[in-house]
Amino acid sequence: MRARTWVLLLAAVFALLQFACVTGRDTPDSKNYVAYALTLGGAGKREAAAATIDWTCAGRASQARRGQSVDVVRFHRPDPTARVVAECRADALGRVERRLAAGQTDGHIPPFMKPRLKRIFEVRPGYPVFLLPFVTTLGVTWGVWTASVLVAVAGGVLVFLILRTLAVSVPLALTGQALYYVLPVGATAMRPMTEGLMLALTLAAVWGCALALSGRVRAGTALAGGGLLALFTVKHSQSLFLGLTLAVAGTTVVVLRRRRGRAPGRGVVAITVVGCCAALGTMLLARLLHYPAESESLQDLLTDHFARPDRTRPWPEFLHLQGNFWLEWARRQAGQPLFVAALAAGLWGALRRPAFGCFLLAAAATGFLTHAGHPDINIWGERLIVLAWLLPVVGVPLLLEPVLRRTLALPAQGPGRRAAHSMR
């Protein structure tokens, strides 16, 4: 079969597996994005809140029913679906109605939470805009599920395209696509949160880096810049982090090449400039639009989502927490070292293409930066650090490439050896 057939087959298998869990993937933040999308489509605050709450409560009831069915003590009891839905709806709708009656009617999101916390989600319109056509035409349940499947599938396809641009053979490019689906990246991308779209847009920027390094500078620069611009609308902190890390990676490549007496290359310089512009542009635009500052995010973390009074000395507390957090994180990783081992293998593979590897490492580093911004060991860590998984997803096929070539004597495929050499 042709390569595109295998790509579509892998994507179809992944999509079919997602029917196993149509509801119940939501997190407490998901309802903000879904309700945001509904209000963008013309729904009122109460209508959007009711539809979103029905969806979240159906997921909660589905989880309760499945959990009870395998509970060794309660499996024979009556189906809890109706009870869970009724209790969930009454509690959530009651809180929304009280806040609406108190005058909390500003913005696009119904008042599921305190105004300061809601403001953090109001400045992320990208994902709700992406959801809008799906929830409008298919309803909330199937609209959210379809959007999640498509964005997760797109991430895997982008991995395939990146590896083919690097002149990696088709079997190993398909391996990268499969790794995206089976590692925690695929499961996280399926959650109705910003992470799936962030992963896809970050991969689009990485693909732009690969294109620029292979000689297609204009196309690569446009793709990387477009990905960074779209990231600003989805989650502007990711646009800032990725812009900074790409700028640092590009500067590193330029310095190393000049020390060896080599020209830095148009592609490297172009991506470095794009990264610098993205970082500076994000900071400037966020200030002009009066987005919540980093101090607000810090207070959100240290006050348990503004449930307690603001901290008077947040930065010393934050730095203290950082030290404790990463020590505990390292201890837990030592007990279950799969993630660290995958990172090491991905880094080894990335180092086989030093120029591109620097940009890949830059994208993966944004996962650690995101987690560093939320040093709470109780937060679901795989969601926060998920971008770090891009290093093994793309790096492991690069690591296996010379082994497979020696074993099976595969001929070079794709753009050719000259493109691959330019990335070294």
Side-chain angles (χ1 to χ4, degrees), residues 116-129:
R116 288 175 70 185
L117 182 56
K118 188 177 77 165
R119 174 62 179 160
I120 294 175
F121 293 94
E122 289 278 359
V123 299
R124 300 174 184 175
Y127 182 58
V129 169

Side-chain angles (χ1 to χ4, degrees), residues 235-258:
K235 195 174 182 181
H236 67 280
S237 61
Q238 176 62 13
S239 178
L240 174 62
F241 291 157
L242 185 57
L244 285 173
T245 55
L246 288 179
V248 171
T251 302
T252 302
V253 174
V254 169
V255 170
L256 291 177
R257 284 185 171 181
R258 287 197 178 280

